[in-house]
Amino acid sequence: GKNKITSMTLPPLPRLRHLSLQNNRLEVWEPAFFQNLSGLTHLYLGHNNLPDLPEEFALLTNLVEVDLVRNAITLIKPIPELKVLEELWMNDNKIEDLEQISHLGAFPALKTIYLERNPMQDLGNKEAEQRYREAILKAVPHIQQIDAERVDFEIKVISDGTE
């Protein structure tokens, strides 16, 4: 990271699994990027200035972890093709509408979400912060981590006392 890369142009690398282009100067999505890197499982694009996700993002069907921290993203795009995505980091973006959280339901394997410090969280307003957390829990009832906090699951042990 911390280079001055301005282009996502890469040759076809279908066997590449991990890619980090964090801390660069990326500002546009290049459609060929997604076609050329179809085998990615981990993609780190935080600290750039990338806009909302393009349709082509759906081509990365093997993604397990995506870092989109501190970009220029305003929407949570529902991408049902990302069936194995477990971790999505989108904190410190420009997402204003709390309704966008409902789109997280499109990711069936999602376990961890980072959305803190987006305008929709209204940091410092306890009621708004609670609505933010409740919206995530409603959209993704099986979520295990919201921002840096583990979600507590209530475990009920049922026993007839014979063990």
Side-chain angles (χ1 to χ4, degrees), residues 28-82:
V28 293
W29 296 105
E30 296 178 27
F33 175 86
F34 303 99
Q35 293 154 357
N36 291 343
L37 301 169
S38 59
L40 283 179
T41 59
H42 295 72
L43 179 58
Y44 306 99
L45 296 170
H47 301 269
N48 281 288
N49 196 29
L50 291 165
D52 294 326
L53 304 183
E55 297 295 326
E56 292 86 359
F57 214 91
L59 297 173
L60 301 179
T61 57
N62 297 308
L63 281 177
V64 173
E65 186 173 288
V66 179
D67 173 0
L68 296 166
V69 170
R70 196 167 281 157
N71 275 288
I73 296 169
T74 62
L75 304 170
I76 299 172
K77 186 177 201 69
I79 307 174
E81 292 85 352
L82 302 186

Side-chain angles (χ1 to χ4, degrees), residues 2-3 5 14 26 38 45 61 82 87 101 104 106 133 162:
K2 295 216 179 215
N3 293 301
I5 297 171
L26 300 173
S38 59
L45 296 170
T61 57
L82 302 186
E87 297 199 23
I101 289 176
L104 294 175
R133 183 176 170 79
T162 60

Side-chain angles (χ1 to χ4, degrees), residues 67-116:
D67 173 0
L68 296 166
V69 170
R70 196 167 281 157
N71 275 288
I73 296 169
T74 62
L75 304 170
I76 299 172
K77 186 177 201 69
I79 307 174
E81 292 85 352
L82 302 186
K83 292 179 183 3
V84 296
L85 183 67
E86 295 180 2
E87 297 199 23
L88 179 58
W89 307 339
M90 293 181 75
N91 51 290
D92 298 287
N93 272 286
K94 298 175 190 249
I95 304 167
E96 293 185 20
D97 185 359
L98 195 62
E99 292 296 316
Q100 289 295 311
I101 289 176
S102 67
H103 298 155
L104 294 175
F107 307 107
L110 197 62
K111 294 178 182 173
T112 300
I113 182 69
Y114 279 85
L115 285 171
E116 62 192 341

